[in-house]
Amino acid sequence: MPPNPMPYFEDLKDPRRETKNKLHKLSDILRIVLYAVLSGIEDWVGMEAFAEEKEAWLREFLELPNGIPSHDTLSDVLGRIDPNAFQEAFLSWVHAALPSLSGEQICLDGKTLRGS
């Protein structure tokens, strides 16, 4: 079982201003996006649909105080996060989750990925 990813992302700075319109926790947004991507979802609308479909399951470990974030919110928040900080956090989690792949090169065939 891979380790919980959230301790690796807890130091990420939330790029949003503190306003009454800040309805969703950064940790909830990050987990929704991470789980959707790991499930093969490739676009923001699909991530929102994934979260809506899995909402009962997500509520077991996410707060979701204002429900599922919209695809626009998911896109906006992830687009504003410092990419270097996110990469560092993500790689730290991946190295902990898959230590046997640490330092290994993973070759991906673009034609296979695109279904050609």
Side-chain angles (χ1 to χ4, degrees), residues 52-105:
E52 288 172 350
E53 183 179 313
K54 305 288 185 188
E55 185 172 358
W57 173 70
L58 290 169
R59 285 192 179 277
E60 291 178 19
F61 47 88
L62 300 182
E63 292 182 31
L64 300 172
N66 292 295
I68 301 297
S70 72
H71 63 276
D72 289 330
T73 299
L74 298 174
S75 171
D76 183 57
V77 172
L78 265 287
R80 292 179 183 209
I81 289 179
D82 174 19
N84 293 324
F86 183 85
Q87 178 182 8
E88 184 178 316
F90 182 77
L91 289 176
S92 295
W93 174 68
V94 169
H95 290 303
L98 304 166
S100 63
L101 295 179
S102 184
E104 293 291 321
Q105 181 178 5

Side-chain angles (χ1 to χ4, degrees), residues 21-76:
N21 293 331
K22 186 176 168 183
L23 302 176
H24 304 285
K25 295 179 62 177
L26 179 63
S27 60
D28 288 351
I29 291 170
L30 290 171
R31 287 177 92 162
I32 287 170
V33 170
L34 180 63
Y35 297 151
V37 168
L38 290 174
S39 297
I41 309 299
E42 297 180 355
D43 61 76
W44 302 112
V45 173
M47 290 178 197
E48 179 184 7
F50 167 85
E52 288 172 350
E53 183 179 313
K54 305 288 185 188
E55 185 172 358
W57 173 70
L58 290 169
R59 285 192 179 277
E60 291 178 19
F61 47 88
L62 300 182
E63 292 182 31
L64 300 172
N66 292 295
I68 301 297
S70 72
H71 63 276
D72 289 330
T73 299
L74 298 174
S75 171
D76 183 57

